[in-house]
Amino acid sequence: MREYSVVIVGGGPAGMAAALGAHEQGLNDILLIERDDRLGGILNQCIHNGFGLHTFKEELTGPEYANRFYKKVEDEKIEYILNTTVIDINAEKILTLMNSGKIERIKAKSIVLAMGCRERPRGALNIPGNRPAGVYTAGAAQKLINIDGLMPGKEVVILGSGDIGLIMARRMTYEGANVKRVLEIMPHSNGLKRNIVQCLNDYSIPLELSKTIVNIHGKDRVTGVDVAEVDGNLRPIEGTEEYIPCDTVLLSCGLIPENELSKEIGVKLDNRTRGPEVRDNFMTNVEGVFACGNVLHVHDLVDYVSEEAKQAGIGAAKYVQNKMEISRGEVDLKTGYGIGYTVPLKIDITDTEKYTIRFRVKRVFKDKDLVAKLNGREIYRRRKNLLLPAEMEKIILKKDDISESGELVFSVEE
């Protein structure tokens, strides 16, 4: 049985960054496992630009961004295997792999989970109506156009204003489709503001908030949808129904971290993010198992995925090398008013110079303060002109800020 110090499950931007982070700590026996036929993950089908502004200080397409990391993996001679699926991980950190019908087991001293996320399908949305052809997730439609060269349809309605849906509204328009509307059940968009401007406003594609699809028509192919306004409880309002003829429906209604393997190994999940609960070094409750990227929580920018994943790889390497900092205490992170979740959920008080906390707010806030209080004592306050659920926020706390064990509560205040 082959054995490695660090095995990374997933060869997307998170997996590659984690591998490079572990390698920087002096480890050479690292294995990167990818189920696709190339490294890069979802970035390979994201041919639009907007990637890399933070990491490389320039604007790149998804494949260009992925290739930057792929070249580093090649240059450092980090071992990777493609077309390989991890079908099981047990408590002894033995991974069962399947490649071309062959089964292999490998042993890991530490594991980094970087499996990414998947789109929420129609079955998870409870949309009534027929089941005709022409209903796709936005990511599936993106692959059809950008990778396979196939056009999903011509008359399009998009449900959900996630970033992939917004980008596909523009992409479908480029290819000659008529994108009639983008509908969002929430009273605010779930995509980045720049994508709303560049993908919808610039192409006069209407975004209608507090609306959803209540029925899909068509026998062999979609012929139209019924849409309706929703109330404060997100329930359709009777009498507001409207029929929109179309031949294609794209669903962009959220992403779900891929954590089936995480659950198998006993990793505890946060029911708010649906990702693992981690400490500030990205280790889960299972010793020697780390998590990063969209399998941990869904990010808005791939640059943040890479930044976070590198730290997870460093943490995994230090675990194997017995170089993890000695903790002088523990801080539990809690969410107060307006905060949806935080990553991490625990901080070990060590000689670390700074602690990075990422989080999202629950709703739109204007001209409010982000506040952090340790055991009731305010250690951070900053005025924010605008806080959006679609955009991930980041707070960096210095070593001197975390001076004692206890509870660190984040909230939105006047």
Side-chain angles (χ1 to χ4, degrees), residues 112-410:
V112 179
L113 303 172
M115 294 87 70
C117 58
R118 66 178 184 271
E119 292 180 279
R120 199 182 302 272
R122 178 180 177 178
L125 302 174
N126 296 320
I127 301 174
N130 298 328
R131 294 292 188 268
V135 180
Y136 305 89
T137 63
Q142 186 181 59
K143 183 177 184 296
L144 284 173
I145 293 178
N146 294 347
I147 302 296
D148 301 327
L150 300 173
M151 189 63 177
K154 287 292 187 180
E155 300 291 321
V156 186
V157 172
I158 298 177
L159 177 61
S161 60
D163 288 311
I164 302 176
L166 299 178
I167 289 164
M168 284 308 297
R170 178 178 63 185
R171 187 74 178 99
M172 296 286 284
T173 302
Y174 275 164
E175 295 298 330
N178 176 24
V179 180
K180 295 190 167 183
R181 300 187 202 179
V182 176
L183 308 170
E184 173 56 57
I185 194 171
M186 301 298 291
H188 54 79
S189 172
N190 286 309
L192 293 172
K193 187 174 182 179
R194 74 182 190 196
N195 284 334
I196 296 173
V197 172
Q198 296 172 3
C199 300
L200 299 188
N201 297 352
D202 288 354
Y203 296 87
S204 301
I205 300 170
L207 169 63
E208 299 184 357
L209 303 175
S210 298
K211 283 191 175 183
T212 191
I213 293 175
V214 294
N215 201 0
I216 296 178
H217 299 278
K219 184 179 180 182
D220 298 321
R221 176 82 190 194
V222 173
T223 56
V225 294
D226 291 330
V227 307
E229 298 176 14
V230 299
D231 60 21
N233 295 315
L234 306 183
R235 294 171 182 163
I237 300 173
E238 190 174 350
T240 64
E241 296 87 355
E242 176 189 2
Y243 176 76
I244 304 175
C246 62
D247 62 19
T248 305
V249 176
L250 301 190
L251 305 176
S252 179
C253 302
L255 301 169
I256 304 171
E258 284 273 18
N259 274 300
E260 283 69 22
L261 286 173
S262 309
K263 289 184 282 189
E264 282 186 15
I265 200 174
V267 168
K268 186 177 180 181
L269 302 184
D270 185 334
N271 58 16
R272 299 166 298 180
T273 63
R274 299 196 179 187
E277 295 184 1
V278 296
R279 310 180 83 85
D280 56 294
N281 63 356
F282 296 98
M283 188 161 75
T284 68
N285 62 297
V286 180
E287 189 173 326
V289 177
F290 297 74
C292 60
N294 284 345
V295 81
L296 178 57
H297 61 131
V298 176
H299 293 63
D300 49 1
L301 296 178
V302 71
D303 302 77
Y304 297 154
V305 167
S306 303
E307 178 186 315
E308 179 184 276
K310 179 180 178 180
Q311 296 305 312
I314 290 171
K318 287 185 175 180
Y319 171 81
V320 172
Q321 297 165 330
N322 295 314
K323 292 181 179 179
M324 294 180 69
E325 289 92 348
I326 298 174
S327 176
R328 299 191 302 273
E330 188 175 88
V331 176
D332 292 314
L333 277 64
K334 304 291 184 181
T335 55
Y337 174 73
I339 306 296
Y341 70 86
T342 68
V343 172
L345 280 174
K346 288 184 183 293
I347 287 176
D348 287 307
I349 303 174
T350 65
D351 291 328
T352 300
E353 290 299 319
K354 63 181 181 180
Y355 301 93
T356 300
I357 295 93
R358 292 182 169 86
F359 61 93
R360 291 184 190 269
V361 294
K362 290 183 176 179
R363 62 178 181 83
V364 177
F365 292 99
K366 294 182 179 180
D367 297 321
K368 295 291 189 292
D369 287 354
L370 283 177
V371 180
K373 295 181 180 179
L374 179 60
N375 298 327
R377 175 175 58 85
E378 186 175 302
I379 63 171
Y380 179 95
R381 179 181 290 269
R382 179 166 295 178
R383 172 68 57 158
K384 300 288 287 188
N385 294 331
L386 185 63
L387 292 164
L388 300 171
E391 297 186 9
M392 196 166 62
E393 296 290 334
K394 179 173 75 171
I395 287 177
I396 296 177
L397 299 176
K398 297 177 182 178
K399 178 173 65 174
D400 293 341
D401 295 327
I402 310 295
S403 57
E404 60 188 6
S405 300
E407 285 191 353
L408 180 55
V409 181
F410 295 85

